[in-house]
Amino acid sequence: CLICTAPSQYALFGVNSCRSCADFYKRTIAADRKFTCRQGDGKCTISPKNRHNCRGCRFERCKTVGMSLSVNKPRENELPDLSMSLPPEQNSLVARVCSEYKSSVARRKMCEFTLLPTALRRHVKVNLPNDEFLLCSWTFLVEVLKLYSGDYLRYASACFPAFEALKLEDQRLMLKNFAVRLFNAEVHSNTYKLFGSLRGPLYMATLMTMYDSRNHKFFTEEESPESSKDTSKIMEDSLERQIALVEPILARAHFTDTEYAVLFALLIWQIDVGYDLPSQIVDLFNAERRNLFEALKRYYAEDLKLDDYATRLGNLISYEQAIQVC
């Protein structure tokens, strides 16, 4: 539930919410009730155990995550609708994947915000000027990845009608194929954008938190001493291997936001060796990749006014392949 973090399987009034919070919102709207924060600062934590303590903050959270009585078609694993509609003349494939990627980031940030009070035991700010990030723990990372997976499905459906038309079991099969790639591509790219390097002690873990290699203890403090050592070693070894692959490409490529959005979409349609996918899905993979590459070429020629874009396209393909290896 995006309001109190209780378990929730379906969308009620347009967002992932439990029955208790949905009924509370409906009663409040129907009775036109007005609530104020009991503490007076509007910062009360809303959890399954204390969600009845402050009706003011609970109702504000309902509104913040996008709950609305006008939304009456429940969908499984639904997140707040932050889609950005495009004028008909701009509704190209490139414009759509750019718009939907921005919407996905906004939704996932909102979901992380709702998890912070309960899933991250201690809030330790990262010492960075002009940016507010918290240190990430392993437990919080796992919970965030569960939310990300649901939104990856929504993002893919919004970008590609052919994906939305697939059976749910086929969508989930594909999700297993691309979820880790989308996550890895994003954390590496966001870290490089922020620091201009991947070799510093700080690394983006999620959209709102960071991993600090100087503070393994915080990342693994909720685990047993034996498992925390294993987790730290796996994390460090994996990061080092991935950095060696992707940093040289990021350093020379300087992707535009549009290129990165198209890359993010391409990763959905990247087939991993060893995955036994039905032939009709393989054909769909090939068709959608052709469409994306054609749209990207038009972007290079018409928007960037490039006569020769072989190098830029080569860098993008190299990064896509590096993420696949990661």
Side-chain angles (χ1 to χ4, degrees), residues 93 160 266 269 282-298:
L93 180 56
F160 304 103
L266 273 168
W269 304 106
V282 174
D283 292 340
L284 182 60
F285 271 58
N286 294 329
E288 293 296 344
R289 286 181 66 82
R290 282 196 300 270
N291 292 338
L292 282 166
F293 278 117
E294 288 303 316
L296 185 61
K297 291 175 182 178
R298 289 196 298 272

Side-chain angles (χ1 to χ4, degrees), residues 21-37:
C21 286
D23 288 344
F24 164 77
Y25 177 78
K26 183 178 180 180
R27 291 194 304 269
T28 302
I29 294 294
D32 196 23
R33 298 288 301 275
K34 308 293 181 186
F35 300 121
T36 57
C37 174

Side-chain angles (χ1 to χ4, degrees), residues 38 44-46 49-56 58:
R38 292 184 62 184
C44 297
T45 298
I46 309 299
K49 292 183 179 180
N50 67 8
R51 61 192 174 197
H52 302 291
N53 291 354
C54 182
R55 291 180 292 181
R58 190 184 188 189

Side-chain angles (χ1 to χ4, degrees), residues 308-325:
D308 183 0
Y309 45 78
T311 299
R312 297 193 73 92
L313 188 59
N315 285 332
L316 188 140
I317 293 173
S318 294
Y319 189 61
E320 184 200 13
Q321 292 173 344
I323 291 298
Q324 185 176 29
V325 175

